[in-house]
Amino acid sequence: MLIVSNHPNRGKANRSAWSTPTPAEIRASREIVGLTQTDAAAKVYATLRAWQNWESEDPAESRRMHPAIFELFLLKTGQLTFDQVVKPPE
């Protein structure tokens, strides 16, 4: 098993403005634009099951969404602009 200890999402000391979104953040961002889970998954070229896992609060089913996928979703749904991506919030 490969462990990447210097990955930017490992540990709170290295958390950036673009850290892994919580299931609640993922669900809220989808609901704001009125998309179904199927439509939201299609926006980021994922399966329905993957999206369901990202939104799941159940630790047995939950999977973390990579910040880049969340950023792509926000861009494609107009919740984020390119200028915000180039210079992340502080």
Coordinates of all heavy atoms in Angstrom, one line a residue:
M1 N 0.8 -1.2 0.0 CA 0.0 0.0 0.0 C 0.9 1.2 0.0 O 1.8 1.4 0.8 CB -0.9 0.0 1.2 CG -1.7 1.2 1.4 SD -2.8 1.1 2.8 CE -3.9 2.4 2.5
L2 N 0.6 2.1 -0.9 CA 1.4 3.4 -1.0 C 0.7 4.5 -0.2 O -0.5 4.7 -0.3 CB 1.5 3.8 -2.5 CG 2.2 5.1 -2.8 CD1 3.6 5.0 -2.4 CD2 2.0 5.5 -4.2
I3 N 1.5 5.1 0.7 CA 0.9 6.2 1.5 C 1.7 7.4 1.1 O 2.9 7.5 1.2 CB 1.1 5.9 3.0 CG1 0.3 4.6 3.4 CG2 0.7 7.1 3.8 CD1 0.5 4.2 4.8
V4 N 0.9 8.4 0.7 CA 1.5 9.7 0.3 C 1.4 10.7 1.4 O 0.3 11.3 1.6 CB 0.8 10.2 -1.0 CG1 1.5 11.5 -1.5 CG2 0.8 9.2 -2.1
S5 N 2.4 10.8 2.2 CA 2.3 11.6 3.4 C 2.4 13.1 3.1 O 1.9 13.9 4.0 CB 3.4 11.3 4.4 OG 4.7 11.5 3.8
N6 N 2.9 13.5 2.0 CA 3.0 14.9 1.7 C 1.8 15.4 0.8 O 1.9 16.5 0.3 CB 4.3 15.3 1.0 CG 4.5 14.6 -0.3 OD1 3.7 13.7 -0.6 ND2 5.5 15.0 -1.1
H7 N 0.8 14.6 0.7 CA -0.4 15.0 -0.1 C -1.0 16.2 0.5 O -1.2 16.3 1.8 CB -1.4 13.9 -0.2 CG -2.5 14.1 -1.2 ND1 -3.6 14.9 -0.9 CD2 -2.6 13.8 -2.5 CE1 -4.4 14.9 -1.9 NE2 -3.8 14.3 -2.9
P8 N -1.5 17.3 -0.2 CA -2.0 18.5 0.4 C -3.3 18.3 1.2 O -3.6 19.1 2.0 CB -2.3 19.4 -0.8 CG -2.3 18.5 -2.0 CD -1.4 17.3 -1.7
N9 N -4.0 17.2 1.0 CA -5.2 17.0 1.8 C -5.0 16.1 3.0 O -5.9 15.7 3.7 CB -6.3 16.4 0.9 CG -6.8 17.3 0.0 OD1 -6.8 18.5 0.2 ND2 -7.3 16.9 -1.2
R10 N -3.7 15.8 3.3 CA -3.4 14.9 4.5 C -3.2 15.8 5.7 O -2.3 16.7 5.7 CB -2.2 14.1 4.2 CG -2.3 13.2 3.0 CD -3.1 11.9 3.3 NE -3.0 11.0 2.2 CZ -4.0 10.8 1.4 NH1 -5.1 11.3 1.6 NH2 -3.8 9.9 0.4
G11 N -3.9 15.7 6.7 CA -3.7 16.4 8.0 C -4.2 17.9 7.9 O -4.2 18.5 6.8
K12 N -4.6 18.4 9.0 CA -5.2 19.7 9.1 C -4.1 20.8 8.9 O -4.4 21.9 8.4 CB -5.9 19.9 10.4 CG -7.1 19.0 10.5 CD -7.9 19.3 11.7 CE -9.0 18.3 11.7 NZ -10.2 18.7 12.3
A13 N -2.9 20.5 9.2 CA -1.8 21.5 9.0 C -1.7 22.0 7.6 O -1.3 23.1 7.3 CB -0.5 21.0 9.6
N14 N -1.9 21.1 6.7 CA -1.7 21.4 5.2 C -3.0 21.7 4.5 O -3.0 21.8 3.3 CB -1.1 20.1 4.6 CG 0.3 19.9 5.0 OD1 1.0 20.9 5.4 ND2 0.7 18.7 5.1
R15 N -4.1 21.9 5.2 CA -5.4 22.2 4.5 C -5.3 23.6 3.8 O -4.9 24.6 4.4 CB -6.5 22.2 5.5 CG -6.9 20.8 5.9 CD -8.1 20.8 6.8 NE -9.3 21.2 6.1 CZ -10.2 20.3 5.6 NH1 -9.9 19.1 5.6 NH2 -11.2 20.8 5.0
S16 N -5.7 23.6 2.6 CA -5.7 24.8 1.8 C -7.1 25.3 1.6 O -8.1 24.7 2.1 CB -5.1 24.5 0.4 OG -6.0 23.7 -0.4
A17 N -7.3 26.4 0.9 CA -8.6 26.9 0.6 C -9.4 25.9 -0.2 O -10.6 25.9 -0.1 CB -8.5 28.2 -0.1
W18 N -8.7 25.1 -1.0 CA -9.4 24.1 -1.8 C -9.2 22.7 -1.2 O -8.7 21.8 -1.8 CB -8.9 24.1 -3.2 CG -9.1 25.5 -3.9 CD1 -8.1 26.3 -4.3 CD2 -10.3 26.1 -4.2 NE1 -8.6 27.4 -4.9 CE2 -10.0 27.3 -4.8 CE3 -11.6 25.8 -4.0 CZ2 -11.0 28.2 -5.2 CZ3 -12.6 26.7 -4.5 CH2 -12.3 27.9 -5.1
S19 N -9.8 22.5 0.0 CA -9.6 21.2 0.6 C -10.8 20.3 0.2 O -11.8 20.8 -0.4 CB -9.6 21.4 2.1 OG -10.7 22.0 2.6
T20 N -10.8 19.1 0.6 CA -11.8 18.1 0.3 C -13.2 18.6 0.8 O -13.3 18.9 2.0 CB -11.5 16.8 0.9 OG1 -10.2 16.4 0.4 CG2 -12.5 15.7 0.6
P21 N -14.2 18.7 0.0 CA -15.5 19.1 0.4 C -16.2 18.1 1.3 O -16.0 16.9 1.1 CB -16.3 19.3 -0.9 CG -15.7 18.4 -1.8 CD -14.2 18.4 -1.5
T22 N -17.0 18.5 2.2 CA -17.8 17.6 3.0 C -19.0 17.1 2.2 O -19.4 17.7 1.3 CB -18.3 18.3 4.3 OG1 -19.2 19.3 3.9 CG2 -17.2 18.9 5.1
P23 N -19.6 16.0 2.6 CA -20.8 15.5 2.0 C -21.9 16.6 2.0 O -22.7 16.8 1.0 CB -21.3 14.3 2.8 CG -20.0 13.8 3.3 CD -19.1 15.0 3.6
A24 N -22.1 17.4 3.1 CA -23.1 18.4 3.1 C -22.8 19.5 2.1 O -23.7 20.1 1.5 CB -23.1 19.0 4.5
E25 N -21.5 19.9 1.9 CA -21.2 20.9 0.9 C -21.5 20.4 -0.5 O -21.9 21.2 -1.3 CB -19.7 21.3 1.1 CG -19.3 22.0 2.3 CD -17.8 22.2 2.5 OE1 -17.1 21.3 2.1 OE2 -17.4 23.2 3.1
I26 N -21.2 19.2 -0.7 CA -21.5 18.6 -2.1 C -23.0 18.6 -2.3 O -23.4 19.0 -3.4 CB -20.9 17.2 -2.2 CG1 -19.4 17.2 -2.0 CG2 -21.3 16.5 -3.5 CD1 -18.7 15.9 -1.8
R27 N -23.7 18.1 -1.4 CA -25.2 18.1 -1.5 C -25.8 19.5 -1.7 O -26.6 19.7 -2.6 CB -25.9 17.4 -0.3 CG -27.3 17.2 -0.5 CD -28.0 16.5 0.7 NE -27.3 15.3 1.0 CZ -26.4 15.1 2.0 NH1 -26.1 16.0 2.9 NH2 -25.9 13.9 2.2
A28 N -25.3 20.4 -0.9 CA -25.8 21.8 -1.0 C -25.5 22.4 -2.3 O -26.4 23.1 -2.9 CB -25.2 22.6 0.2
S29 N -24.3 22.2 -2.8 CA -23.9 22.8 -4.1 C -24.8 22.2 -5.2 O -25.1 22.9 -6.2 CB -22.4 22.6 -4.4 OG -22.1 21.3 -4.6
R30 N -25.1 21.0 -5.1 CA -26.0 20.4 -6.2 C -27.4 20.9 -6.0 O -28.1 21.3 -7.1 CB -26.0 18.8 -6.0 CG -27.0 18.1 -6.9 CD -27.0 16.6 -6.7 NE -27.4 16.2 -5.4 CZ -28.6 16.1 -4.9 NH1 -29.7 16.5 -5.7 NH2 -28.9 15.7 -3.7
E31 N -27.9 21.0 -4.8 CA -29.3 21.4 -4.6 C -29.5 22.9 -5.0 O -30.6 23.3 -5.5 CB -29.7 21.2 -3.2 CG -29.9 19.7 -2.9 CD -30.2 19.4 -1.4 OE1 -30.0 20.3 -0.6 OE2 -30.6 18.3 -1.1
I32 N -28.5 23.7 -4.8 CA -28.6 25.2 -5.1 C -28.9 25.4 -6.6 O -29.7 26.2 -7.0 CB -27.2 25.9 -4.8 CG1 -27.1 26.1 -3.3 CG2 -27.1 27.2 -5.5 CD1 -25.8 26.6 -2.8
V33 N -28.3 24.5 -7.5 CA -28.6 24.6 -8.9 C -29.7 23.7 -9.4 O -30.0 23.7 -10.6 CB -27.3 24.4 -9.7 CG1 -26.3 25.5 -9.5 CG2 -26.7 23.1 -9.4
G34 N -30.3 23.0 -8.5 CA -31.5 22.2 -8.8 C -31.2 21.0 -9.7 O -32.1 20.6 -10.5
L35 N -30.1 20.4 -9.5 CA -29.7 19.2 -10.3 C -30.0 17.9 -9.5 O -29.9 17.9 -8.2 CB -28.3 19.2 -10.6 CG -27.8 20.2 -11.6 CD1 -26.3 20.1 -11.8 CD2 -28.5 20.1 -12.9
T36 N -30.4 16.9 -10.2 CA -30.5 15.5 -9.6 C -29.1 15.0 -9.4 O -28.1 15.5 -10.0 CB -31.3 14.6 -10.5 OG1 -30.5 14.4 -11.7 CG2 -32.7 15.1 -10.7
Q37 N -28.9 13.9 -8.6 CA -27.6 13.3 -8.4 C -27.1 12.8 -9.8 O -25.9 12.9 -10.1 CB -27.7 12.2 -7.4 CG -27.8 12.7 -6.0 CD -27.9 11.5 -5.0 OE1 -28.4 10.5 -5.3 NE2 -27.3 11.8 -3.8
T38 N -28.0 12.3 -10.6 CA -27.6 11.8 -11.9 C -27.1 12.9 -12.8 O -26.0 12.7 -13.4 CB -28.8 11.1 -12.6 OG1 -29.3 10.0 -11.8 CG2 -28.4 10.6 -14.0
D39 N -27.8 14.0 -12.8 CA -27.3 15.2 -13.6 C -26.0 15.7 -13.1 O -25.1 16.1 -13.9 CB -28.4 16.2 -13.7 CG -29.6 15.8 -14.4 OD1 -29.6 14.9 -15.3 OD2 -30.7 16.4 -14.1
A40 N -25.9 15.8 -11.8 CA -24.6 16.3 -11.2 C -23.5 15.4 -11.5 O -22.4 15.9 -11.9 CB -24.8 16.4 -9.7
A41 N -23.7 14.1 -11.4 CA -22.6 13.2 -11.8 C -22.2 13.3 -13.2 O -21.0 13.3 -13.5 CB -23.0 11.8 -11.5
A42 N -23.1 13.5 -14.1 CA -22.8 13.7 -15.5 C -22.0 14.9 -15.8 O -21.1 14.9 -16.7 CB -24.1 13.7 -16.3
K43 N -22.2 16.0 -15.0 CA -21.4 17.2 -15.2 C -19.9 17.0 -15.0 O -19.1 17.7 -15.6 CB -21.8 18.3 -14.2 CG -23.2 18.8 -14.4 CD -23.1 20.0 -15.4 CE -24.5 20.7 -15.5 NZ -24.6 21.5 -16.7
V44 N -19.5 16.0 -14.1 CA -18.1 15.8 -13.8 C -17.7 14.4 -14.3 O -16.6 13.9 -13.9 CB -17.8 15.9 -12.3 CG1 -18.0 17.4 -11.9 CG2 -18.6 15.0 -11.5
Y45 N -18.5 13.8 -15.3 CA -18.1 12.6 -15.9 C -17.9 11.4 -14.9 O -17.0 10.6 -15.0 CB -16.9 12.7 -16.8 CG -16.9 13.9 -17.7 CD1 -16.2 15.1 -17.4 CD2 -17.7 13.9 -18.8 CE1 -16.3 16.2 -18.2 CE2 -17.8 15.0 -19.6 CZ -17.1 16.2 -19.3 OH -17.2 17.3 -20.1
A46 N -18.8 11.4 -13.9 CA -18.8 10.4 -12.9 C -20.1 9.5 -13.0 O -21.0 9.9 -13.7 CB -18.7 11.0 -11.5
T47 N -20.1 8.4 -12.2 CA -21.3 7.6 -12.2 C -22.2 8.1 -11.1 O -21.8 8.8 -10.2 CB -21.0 6.1 -11.9 OG1 -20.4 6.1 -10.6 CG2 -20.0 5.6 -12.9
L48 N -23.5 7.7 -11.2 CA -24.5 8.0 -10.2 C -24.0 7.5 -8.8 O -24.1 8.2 -7.8 CB -25.8 7.5 -10.5 CG -26.9 7.6 -9.4 CD1 -27.2 9.0 -9.0 CD2 -28.2 6.9 -9.9
R49 N -23.5 6.3 -8.8 CA -23.1 5.7 -7.6 C -21.9 6.4 -6.9 O -21.9 6.6 -5.7 CB -22.7 4.2 -7.8 CG -22.4 3.5 -6.5 CD -23.7 3.3 -5.7 NE -23.4 2.7 -4.4 CZ -23.9 3.2 -3.3 NH1 -24.7 4.1 -3.2 NH2 -23.5 2.6 -2.2
A50 N -21.0 6.9 -7.7 CA -19.9 7.7 -7.2 C -20.4 9.0 -6.5 O -20.0 9.3 -5.4 CB -18.9 8.1 -8.3
W51 N -21.4 9.7 -7.2 CA -21.9 10.9 -6.6 C -22.7 10.6 -5.3 O -22.6 11.3 -4.3 CB -22.9 11.6 -7.6 CG -23.2 13.0 -7.1 CD1 -24.2 13.3 -6.2 CD2 -22.5 14.2 -7.5 NE1 -24.1 14.7 -6.0 CE2 -23.1 15.2 -6.7 CE3 -21.4 14.4 -8.3 CZ2 -22.6 16.5 -6.8 CZ3 -21.0 15.8 -8.4 CH2 -21.6 16.8 -7.7
Q52 N -23.4 9.5 -5.3 CA -24.1 9.1 -4.1 C -23.1 8.8 -2.9 O -23.4 9.2 -1.8 CB -25.0 7.8 -4.3 CG -26.2 8.0 -5.2 CD -26.8 6.8 -5.7 OE1 -26.2 5.7 -5.8 NE2 -28.1 6.8 -6.0
N53 N -22.0 8.2 -3.2 CA -21.0 8.0 -2.2 C -20.4 9.3 -1.7 O -20.1 9.4 -0.5 CB -19.9 7.1 -2.8 CG -20.3 5.6 -2.9 OD1 -21.2 5.2 -2.3 ND2 -19.6 4.9 -3.7
W54 N -20.2 10.2 -2.6 CA -19.6 11.5 -2.2 C -20.6 12.3 -1.3 O -20.2 13.0 -0.4 CB -19.3 12.4 -3.4 CG -18.2 11.9 -4.2 CD1 -17.1 11.2 -3.8 CD2 -18.0 12.0 -5.6 NE1 -16.3 10.9 -4.9 CE2 -16.8 11.4 -6.0 CE3 -18.8 12.6 -6.6 CZ2 -16.3 11.4 -7.3 CZ3 -18.3 12.6 -7.9 CH2 -17.1 12.0 -8.3
E55 N -21.9 12.1 -1.5 CA -22.9 12.8 -0.7 C -23.3 12.1 0.6 O -23.9 12.6 1.5 CB -24.2 13.1 -1.5 CG -24.1 14.2 -2.4 CD -25.5 14.6 -3.0 OE1 -26.5 14.2 -2.4 OE2 -25.5 15.4 -3.9
S56 N -22.9 10.8 0.7 CA -23.3 10.0 1.8 C -22.6 10.4 3.1 O -21.4 10.7 3.2 CB -22.9 8.5 1.5 OG -23.3 7.7 2.6
E57 N -23.5 10.5 4.2 CA -23.0 10.8 5.5 C -22.6 9.5 6.2 O -22.0 9.5 7.3 CB -24.1 11.5 6.3 CG -24.5 12.9 5.7 CD -23.5 14.0 6.0 OE1 -22.5 13.8 6.8 OE2 -23.6 15.0 5.4
D58 N -23.0 8.4 5.7 CA -22.7 7.1 6.3 C -21.2 6.7 6.1 O -20.8 6.6 4.9 CB -23.6 6.0 5.6 CG -23.4 4.6 6.2 OD1 -22.5 4.4 7.1 OD2 -24.1 3.7 5.8
P59 N -20.5 6.6 7.2 CA -19.0 6.3 7.0 C -18.7 5.0 6.2 O -17.7 4.9 5.6 CB -18.5 6.2 8.5 CG -19.6 6.8 9.3 CD -20.9 6.7 8.5
A60 N -19.6 4.1 6.2 CA -19.4 2.8 5.5 C -19.5 3.0 4.0 O -18.9 2.3 3.2 CB -20.4 1.8 6.0
E61 N -20.3 4.0 3.6 CA -20.5 4.3 2.1 C -19.8 5.5 1.6 O -19.5 5.6 0.4 CB -22.0 4.4 1.9 CG -22.8 3.2 2.1 CD -24.3 3.4 1.7 OE1 -24.6 4.4 1.2 OE2 -25.0 2.5 2.0
S62 N -19.5 6.4 2.5 CA -18.9 7.7 2.1 C -17.5 7.6 1.5 O -16.7 6.8 1.9 CB -18.8 8.6 3.3 OG -18.3 9.9 2.9
R63 N -17.3 8.4 0.4 CA -16.0 8.5 -0.2 C -15.7 10.0 -0.4 O -16.6 10.8 -0.6 CB -16.1 7.9 -1.6 CG -16.4 6.4 -1.7 CD -15.2 5.6 -1.1 NE -15.5 4.1 -1.2 CZ -16.0 3.4 -0.2 NH1 -16.4 4.0 0.9 NH2 -16.2 2.1 -0.4
R64 N -14.5 10.3 -0.3 CA -14.1 11.7 -0.4 C -14.0 12.1 -1.9 O -13.5 11.4 -2.7 CB -12.8 12.0 0.3 CG -12.9 11.9 1.8 CD -11.7 12.3 2.5 NE -10.6 11.4 2.1 CZ -9.3 11.6 2.5 NH1 -9.0 12.6 3.3 NH2 -8.4 10.8 2.2
M65 N -14.6 13.3 -2.2 CA -14.5 13.9 -3.5 C -13.2 14.7 -3.6 O -12.9 15.5 -2.7 CB -15.7 14.8 -3.8 CG -15.6 15.4 -5.2 SD -16.9 16.7 -5.4 CE -18.3 15.7 -6.0
H66 N -12.5 14.4 -4.7 CA -11.2 15.2 -4.8 C -11.6 16.7 -5.1 O -12.6 17.0 -5.8 CB -10.4 14.7 -6.1 CG -9.1 15.2 -6.1 ND1 -8.8 16.4 -6.6 CD2 -7.9 14.6 -5.8 CE1 -7.5 16.7 -6.6 NE2 -6.9 15.6 -6.0
P67 N -10.8 17.6 -4.5 CA -11.1 19.0 -4.6 C -11.2 19.5 -6.1 O -12.0 20.3 -6.4 CB -9.9 19.7 -3.9 CG -9.4 18.7 -3.0 CD -9.7 17.4 -3.6
A68 N -10.4 18.8 -7.0 CA -10.5 19.2 -8.4 C -11.8 18.9 -9.0 O -12.4 19.6 -9.9 CB -9.4 18.5 -9.2
I69 N -12.5 17.8 -8.6 CA -13.8 17.4 -9.1 C -14.8 18.4 -8.6 O -15.7 18.8 -9.4 CB -14.1 15.9 -8.8 CG1 -13.1 15.0 -9.4 CG2 -15.6 15.6 -9.1 CD1 -13.3 13.5 -9.0
F70 N -14.7 18.7 -7.4 CA -15.7 19.7 -6.8 C -15.5 21.1 -7.5 O -16.5 21.7 -7.8 CB -15.4 19.8 -5.3 CG -16.5 20.6 -4.6 CD1 -17.8 20.2 -4.7 CD2 -16.2 21.7 -3.8 CE1 -18.8 20.9 -4.0 CE2 -17.1 22.4 -3.1 CZ -18.5 22.0 -3.2
E71 N -14.3 21.5 -7.7 CA -14.0 22.7 -8.4 C -14.6 22.7 -9.8 O -15.2 23.7 -10.3 CB -12.5 23.0 -8.4 CG -12.1 24.3 -9.0 CD -10.6 24.4 -8.9 OE1 -10.0 24.6 -7.8 OE2 -9.9 24.4 -10.0
L72 N -14.4 21.6 -10.5 CA -15.0 21.4 -11.9 C -16.5 21.6 -11.8 O -17.1 22.3 -12.6 CB -14.6 20.1 -12.5 CG -15.2 19.7 -13.8 CD1 -14.8 20.7 -14.9 CD2 -14.9 18.3 -14.2
F73 N -17.1 20.9 -10.8 CA -18.6 21.0 -10.7 C -19.0 22.4 -10.5 O -20.0 22.9 -11.1 CB -19.1 20.1 -9.6 CG -20.6 20.1 -9.4 CD1 -21.4 19.5 -10.3 CD2 -21.1 20.8 -8.3 CE1 -22.8 19.6 -10.1 CE2 -22.5 20.9 -8.1 CZ -23.3 20.3 -9.0
L74 N -18.4 23.1 -9.6 CA -18.7 24.5 -9.3 C -18.6 25.4 -10.5 O -19.4 26.3 -10.7 CB -17.9 25.0 -8.1 CG -18.1 24.3 -6.7 CD1 -17.2 24.9 -5.7 CD2 -19.6 24.5 -6.3
L75 N -17.5 25.2 -11.2 CA -17.3 26.0 -12.5 C -18.4 25.7 -13.5 O -18.9 26.6 -14.1 CB -15.9 25.6 -13.1 CG -14.7 26.3 -12.5 CD1 -13.4 25.6 -12.9 CD2 -14.7 27.8 -12.8
K76 N -18.7 24.4 -13.7 CA -19.7 24.1 -14.7 C -21.1 24.5 -14.4 O -21.9 24.6 -15.3 CB -19.6 22.6 -15.0 CG -18.3 22.2 -15.7 CD -18.3 20.7 -16.1 CE -18.6 20.6 -17.5 NZ -18.5 19.1 -17.9
T77 N -21.3 24.7 -13.1 CA -22.7 25.1 -12.7 C -22.8 26.6 -12.4 O -23.8 27.0 -11.9 CB -23.2 24.3 -11.5 OG1 -22.2 24.4 -10.4 CG2 -23.3 22.8 -11.8
G78 N -21.7 27.3 -12.6 CA -21.7 28.8 -12.5 C -21.6 29.2 -11.0 O -21.9 30.4 -10.7
Q79 N -21.2 28.4 -10.1 CA -21.1 28.7 -8.7 C -19.7 29.2 -8.4 O -19.4 29.7 -7.3 CB -21.4 27.5 -7.8 CG -22.8 27.0 -8.0 CD -23.1 25.8 -7.1 OE1 -23.1 25.9 -5.9 NE2 -23.3 24.7 -7.8
L80 N -18.8 29.2 -9.4 CA -17.4 29.6 -9.2 C -17.0 30.1 -10.6 O -17.4 29.6 -11.6 CB -16.6 28.3 -8.9 CG -15.1 28.5 -8.5 CD1 -15.0 29.3 -7.2 CD2 -14.5 27.1 -8.3
T81 N -16.2 31.2 -10.5 CA -15.7 31.8 -11.8 C -14.2 31.4 -12.0 O -13.5 31.0 -11.0 CB -15.8 33.3 -11.8 OG1 -14.9 33.8 -10.7 CG2 -17.2 33.8 -11.5
F82 N -13.7 31.5 -13.2 CA -12.3 31.2 -13.5 C -11.4 32.1 -12.6 O -10.4 31.6 -12.1 CB -12.0 31.4 -14.9 CG -10.6 31.1 -15.3 CD1 -10.2 29.7 -15.3 CD2 -9.7 32.0 -15.6 CE1 -8.9 29.4 -15.7 CE2 -8.4 31.7 -15.9 CZ -8.0 30.4 -15.9
D83 N -11.7 33.4 -12.4 CA -10.9 34.2 -11.6 C -10.8 33.7 -10.2 O -9.7 33.9 -9.5 CB -11.5 35.7 -11.6 CG -11.4 36.3 -12.9 OD1 -10.5 35.9 -13.7 OD2 -12.1 37.2 -13.2
Q84 N -11.8 33.1 -9.6 CA -11.8 32.6 -8.3 C -10.9 31.3 -8.2 O -10.3 31.1 -7.2 CB -13.2 32.2 -7.8 CG -14.0 33.4 -7.5 CD -15.5 33.1 -7.3 OE1 -16.1 32.4 -8.1 NE2 -16.0 33.5 -6.2
V85 N -10.8 30.6 -9.3 CA -10.0 29.4 -9.4 C -8.5 29.8 -9.4 O -7.7 29.2 -8.8 CB -10.3 28.5 -10.6 CG1 -9.4 27.4 -10.7 CG2 -11.8 28.0 -10.5
V86 N -8.2 30.8 -10.2 CA -6.8 31.3 -10.4 C -6.3 31.8 -9.1 O -5.1 31.5 -8.7 CB -6.7 32.3 -11.5 CG1 -5.3 32.9 -11.5 CG2 -7.1 31.7 -12.8
K87 N -7.1 32.5 -8.3 CA -6.7 33.0 -7.0 C -7.7 32.6 -6.0 O -8.8 33.2 -5.8 CB -6.7 34.6 -7.0 CG -6.1 35.1 -5.7 CD -6.0 36.6 -5.7 CE -5.5 37.0 -4.3 NZ -5.8 38.3 -3.9
P88 N -7.4 31.4 -5.3 CA -8.4 30.9 -4.4 C -8.6 31.8 -3.2 O -7.8 32.6 -2.9 CB -7.7 29.6 -3.9 CG -6.4 29.6 -4.4 CD -6.2 30.6 -5.4
P89 N -9.8 31.7 -2.5 CA -10.1 32.6 -1.4 C -9.1 32.3 -0.2 O -8.6 31.2 -0.1 CB -11.5 32.1 -1.0 CG -11.7 30.8 -1.6 CD -10.8 30.7 -2.8
E90 N -8.9 33.3 0.5 CA -8.0 33.2 1.6 C -8.6 33.0 2.9 O -9.7 33.2 3.2 CB -7.1 34.5 1.7 CG -6.4 34.7 0.4 CD -5.5 35.9 0.4 OE1 -5.1 36.4 1.5 OE2 -5.1 36.4 -0.7

